[in-house]
Amino acid sequence: MALTFTDLVEVDLGKLADAVSDWKKAVDGLKESADGARSGLRKRSDSARWAGVNATVTREFVAKTAKEIADLHAEADSIHQVLEDGHTQLEALQKKMRTAVHGDAAEIGVRVEDIGGGRVRCFFPHVRGDSDERTQDQLDQRQELEDRINRILAHAAEIDASVARALTKSHGNDPHDAGHSRYGSLNDAEAERAVELARKGDKMSDAELRELNELLRFNAGEQDGEFATEFYQGLGGPEKTLQFYAAMSIDGTSGDASRTRLDAVQDLQKYMGYTLANATDPDHAHHLPDDWGAQFRRLGTQQIGWERGQWNKPYGYQVLGGLLRYGTYDPRFLNPIAEHITQLHKKDPYFFLSNKPAGNPDTYGFNPSGKLGTGNEPLNSVLEALGHSPEAAEKFFSQPPTAYNDDGTVKQDGKLGFDSYVDLLTDKDFEWTPDTNSANILADEDKAKRIMGYGPDALGHALEAATTGLPYGSDAVPPPHSKEAAGIFHQLVERYGTHPEDLDDSPLRDSLGNITADYMRDVQGAFMGGGGSVVGTHGAGASLGDFDMTSNPEGLSSGVLKNFLGAVGKDPDAYGAIVTAQESVTTDLVNDAFHNAGTYEELAPEIANRVDPGGQIAGIMAESRTQAVVDEKLADDAEFNKGVETADKWAGRIIGMGVGKIPVGGEAAGWVVEDIQESVVQNFTKDSSEEALRDRGAFLEQQRTSSAQAVYDATYTAAREAGYDDANAQSQAMAARREILDSYGLGRQRAGK
C-alpha cells in the first residue's frame, strides 16, 4: 500500500525511533554473543581432541551454532542500519512537509488535498464575497508549493518502499536460517535494487522503469557519492553503462514507444546524468576510479552495440553525450572529454554524423529530451554539459588546450592550430553541423536555420557558465567573477566588438546578452572611465578598463565595446536582459550616492556622473532595437516587448550583488526590485503597431523619453527614501533626467556609426 499524504504528516515517527533503539540493543547483545561464540565456544571446539561421533557431529554442530549466531548479528545489524537511515530521512521529510502544510500553505492561503496515488493538489478555497481572481504570483506560489509537496511525498514513498524491501531481504523467508542480504546502509539497499532493475535493460516494464527513475532521482545528489558510485559500478563499467543507456534511449524513442515510455526514458536520461556527475567527482568520499574518464574517451570513437548481430551501431560519444547533458561535472572528468570531442569535430565535422539514422523522427536517438538536437553530434552535448558545469566551463575556455589522439590519449607535443577554445568556437569559419535525423533540412528554410543554430546556442550556454560562475539559466545571485572568467568576457567583447557583423541574427546573442547583464557594473564602469572605479565590480579582475569609453571616445577600444553592445542588443532577449540590468545598476548607484551624500561637495554632479553610463547604454539599445525591427527586419517589435517582460530576474540578481546601501535580502530590497521590474516594463515596452514603427525618429524619441522617465523615478524614490523633502527630491530627479536625455543621444550616435 502506497504511502499517503496523511501518513507522512500525521505518523508518529517516535515509534520508529524506539524500534531503532531496540534493534541497536539487539545488535550490541548479539555482537557480544557472536564474539563469545567465535573466541570461546568455537575456539575451544576447534582445539579440542574429539573422538568418535563427537569428532564429526558435535564439532559440526558447534561450528554451525557459532556461524548462526554471527549471522543473527549480521542480520540484526543490517536491519538496524536500514531502520536508522530510514528514520533519519523520513523524519527530515516529515519536518519539511509540516513546514509546507502548516506554514507555507497557510501563509499564501491555500489548502492541501490528498487526491490519492501518492499526490496532492493545492487550491485557494472559496470565501464568500471573494471574486476568486488570483494574480500570477499567487498562482505561481500555489503551483510551486504543490510541486514541492508532491516531491517530498514521492521521496518519502521511495524510502518507505526501499526500507520494506531491504528488511524483507535481510530477514529472508526462512525463520530457521539467519543471514541473508546484508546492508551497511539504506543506500546499499537502494543501489542494489537500482542495479537489479537496470540489468533487465529494455525488458523493464513501465512500472519498473518508473521505480528505477525514483531511486535515481532521490539518491543521485547525495553528497558523499555512495549511491551514485555503487550504481555505476553495479552496471559493470563504462562500456556496460553505454550499452544500457543506448538500449533504453532507443527503446523509449522508437516509433512504437508509448508516450509513457518516452516520458520515462526522458527522466532516465536526466537522472542518470545527475548520478554520473556525482559518481565521477573525485572529491567525494565515494567515487568511480579515475580511469573511467580515460575509458569513456577510448570508447568515444568506437561503435557500441547492445544486441547480437546489430547492424547500425552508434559511437560511444553519441551515447555518452546524452548523459552529459544533465548534471554538474567536475572539470577533471569532463574537460578531457570536452577537449577530445571538440578536436575530433575540428578534424572532421561530419565524423559522428556519418552513421546517423536518417529518416527517423527527431525524437529518436540518444538525446530523448529533444533539446538542441537529436544527440548524433556530441559537440552539442558536451557544450551543454559545460553549460551546467561552471568550473569546468571556465577552465575549458581559459586554460591552454591539451592535444588528444583519436583514441583519447594525450598527444605529446601535439599542435592544434589554435590558442583557445574561445578562438576556435567563435571563428566565423567554424563548421557547425545539423544535429537532426531529417534527411533533407534544406527544404524548410526556417527549420534549417533553427537546426543549424543548435551548436551556437549550446556554445552560448557554455560561455554563460564560464563567465558568470553559474549554470546557464540559473536565477541565483552569481559569485564574484574570477580573473579568468572576466578574461573570457574580455575576449568575447574584443571578438564581436571588432567584427559585430558576425553576430548578425546569431543564436549566440541571447547568451551574450545574459553575460553582459551579469557584467553590467563593469560595462557601466567603462563608460564612466577609470575602468569602473566609481561603479566598482563584484570580483577581482572583472573591470573593463581596456575598453574605457572616456579616455579615447573615438578610438578602437571605445568602438569595440559600443559595437559589441549594439550587435548583441539586436536580439530581443538580450535587449531585455541588458536594459533591465542597466536600470538596476543605475538605481543601485543612485541609492548609494544619496546614502553617501556627505562625502560630496555637490550631490547633483555626482548623480549625473552615475546615471550618464546608463543613459548611453539605453541609447545604444534603442538604436539596436530600431535597426533590428525597422531597418533589418530581424525581429518583430512585439518580440522585444516580450524580451523586456521576461527579463525580470535580472533586477534581483543585480541588486543582490550590489555595492550600494540597499539592504540585500531585506524587505527594502524586495520593494526596490519590484519597482525596477515595473519601471522597465512600463518604460521599455513600446507600441508595436505599424503606425508607431513607421516614423523611425518618433519611435527613437519615444524611447529616449521613457529612459529619462525611468531614471527620474529611480532618483526621486532614492532621494525620498534618503530623507529628502519632495521639492529637493524632484530637483535631483530633474537633474538626473536632463543628464539621461543628453547621454542617451550620445549613445545613439555611437550605436549609429
Side-chain angles (χ1 to χ4, degrees), residues 670-737:
W671 282 110
V672 169
V673 168
E674 289 179 10
D675 285 348
I676 293 170
Q677 293 169 341
E678 182 179 347
S679 174
V680 169
V681 171
Q682 179 179 336
N683 290 302
F684 290 91
T685 300
K686 304 300 176 188
D687 180 358
S688 300
S689 64
E690 290 186 14
E691 292 77 11
L693 295 173
R694 196 167 292 152
D695 189 335
R696 190 182 196 280
F699 182 74
L700 285 166
E701 184 60 29
Q702 180 191 23
Q703 292 204 292
R704 178 174 180 250
T705 302
S706 295
S707 297
Q709 185 61 43
V711 167
Y712 176 93
D713 293 342
T715 306
Y716 177 81
T717 301
R720 292 291 287 166
E721 289 181 350
Y724 287 68
D725 60 29
D726 183 71
N728 280 321
Q730 286 193 43
S731 175
Q732 293 289 352
M734 286 300 296
R737 185 178 187 278

Side-chain angles (χ1 to χ4, degrees), residues 248-471:
M248 293 305 301
S249 58
I250 293 302
D251 175 67
T253 60
S254 64
D256 57 353
S258 67
R259 181 69 230 189
T260 298
R261 193 67 167 187
L262 175 59
D263 289 345
V265 167
Q266 288 174 337
D267 285 342
L268 181 69
Q269 176 189 16
K270 185 189 310 178
Y271 300 137
M272 277 190 71
Y274 294 149
T275 307
L276 182 62
N278 198 357
T280 54
D281 189 333
D283 293 330
H284 288 165
H286 303 271
H287 59 82
L288 294 171
D290 293 340
D291 71 343
W292 272 60
Q295 290 188 61
F296 276 133
R297 295 199 304 276
R298 176 180 59 81
L299 293 166
T301 53
Q302 294 185 16
Q303 291 187 316
I304 302 296
W306 58 93
E307 293 178 347
R308 181 173 296 179
Q310 186 173 342
W311 180 256
N312 193 309
K313 300 178 184 179
Y315 290 106
Y317 273 147
Q318 293 175 305
V319 181
L320 179 64
L323 298 179
L324 295 180
R325 286 172 177 260
Y326 291 93
T328 300
Y329 289 87
D330 186 275
R332 288 164 287 186
F333 171 77
L334 180 60
N335 285 26
I337 291 173
E339 291 201 67
H340 189 213
I341 289 174
T342 306
Q343 291 170 29
L344 289 168
H345 183 98
K346 178 179 182 294
K347 180 180 178 181
D348 181 0
Y350 286 87
F351 173 78
F352 289 106
L353 298 187
S354 61
N355 69 340
K356 75 175 184 178
N360 286 283
D362 275 344
T363 54
Y364 180 87
F366 307 107
N367 178 30
S369 75
K371 296 176 181 177
L372 297 187
T374 305
N376 300 306
E377 176 51 80
L379 178 60
N380 295 359
S381 298
V382 83
L383 287 172
E384 281 290 278
L386 290 167
H388 294 295
S389 309
E391 182 186 1
E394 181 188 299
K395 292 184 177 185
F396 179 79
F397 288 112
S398 65
Q399 293 183 349
T402 298
Y404 287 89
N405 295 305
D406 287 352
D407 64 358
T409 57
V410 175
K411 181 186 294 186
Q412 300 300 325
D413 302 321
K415 302 296 183 183
L416 289 171
F418 59 91
D419 296 325
S420 78
Y421 289 107
V422 174
D423 293 341
L424 175 68
L425 294 169
T426 63
D427 191 305
K428 67 182 179 67
D429 294 324
F430 184 82
E431 189 169 0
W432 298 99
T433 54
D435 188 6
T436 176
N437 292 331
S438 299
N440 182 16
I441 64 170
L442 297 180
D444 186 332
E445 185 178 346
D446 290 339
K447 183 177 181 180
K449 178 182 175 182
R450 185 180 74 254
I451 290 170
M452 292 304 295
Y454 289 159
D457 212 0
L459 171 61
H461 296 163
L463 289 169
E464 283 189 60
T467 51
T468 67
L470 290 174

Side-chain angles (χ1 to χ4, degrees), residues 517-532:
D518 196 70
Y519 280 79
M520 184 52 66
R521 297 184 186 282
D522 314 300
V523 173
Q524 293 197 206
F527 280 84
M528 261 185 196

Side-chain angles (χ1 to χ4, degrees), residues 185-249:
S185 66
L186 180 57
N187 251 347
D188 291 344
E190 290 168 318
E192 178 188 78
R193 177 58 176 169
V195 172
E196 180 183 297
L197 291 167
R199 285 179 178 165
K200 295 185 178 185
D202 55 12
K203 301 299 186 291
M204 271 188 286
S205 67
D206 289 346
E208 288 172 329
L209 180 53
R210 187 165 56 249
E211 181 186 350
L212 173 60
N213 282 333
E214 292 296 276
L215 286 163
L216 296 175
R217 176 188 182 188
F218 294 117
N219 294 285
E222 285 193 349
Q223 292 185 355
D224 64 359
E226 181 183 9
F227 171 90
T229 302
E230 288 185 14
F231 172 72
Y232 273 101
Q233 286 177 326
L235 289 180
E239 186 168 9
K240 293 291 186 183
T241 294
L242 296 179
Q243 289 172 336
F244 167 70
Y245 175 67
M248 293 305 301
S249 58

Side-chain angles (χ1 to χ4, degrees), residues 29-64:
L30 285 168
K31 183 178 187 305
E32 185 176 339
S33 297
D35 289 345
R38 184 179 60 255
S39 61
L41 184 64
R42 178 68 186 270
K43 184 177 181 180
R44 286 194 292 272
S45 172
D46 288 344
S47 63
R49 292 186 175 183
W50 298 98
V53 175
N54 285 331
T56 54
V57 177
T58 306
R59 175 176 287 179
E60 183 180 340
F61 173 77
V62 170
K64 185 176 180 180

Side-chain angles (χ1 to χ4, degrees), residues 164-197:
R165 184 172 50 249
L167 293 178
T168 300
K169 286 192 171 186
S170 294
H171 177 63
N173 295 317
D174 188 348
H176 304 294
D177 180 24
H180 301 277
S181 295
R182 301 177 183 179
Y183 306 110
S185 66
L186 180 57
N187 251 347
D188 291 344
E190 290 168 318
E192 178 188 78
R193 177 58 176 169
V195 172
E196 180 183 297
L197 291 167

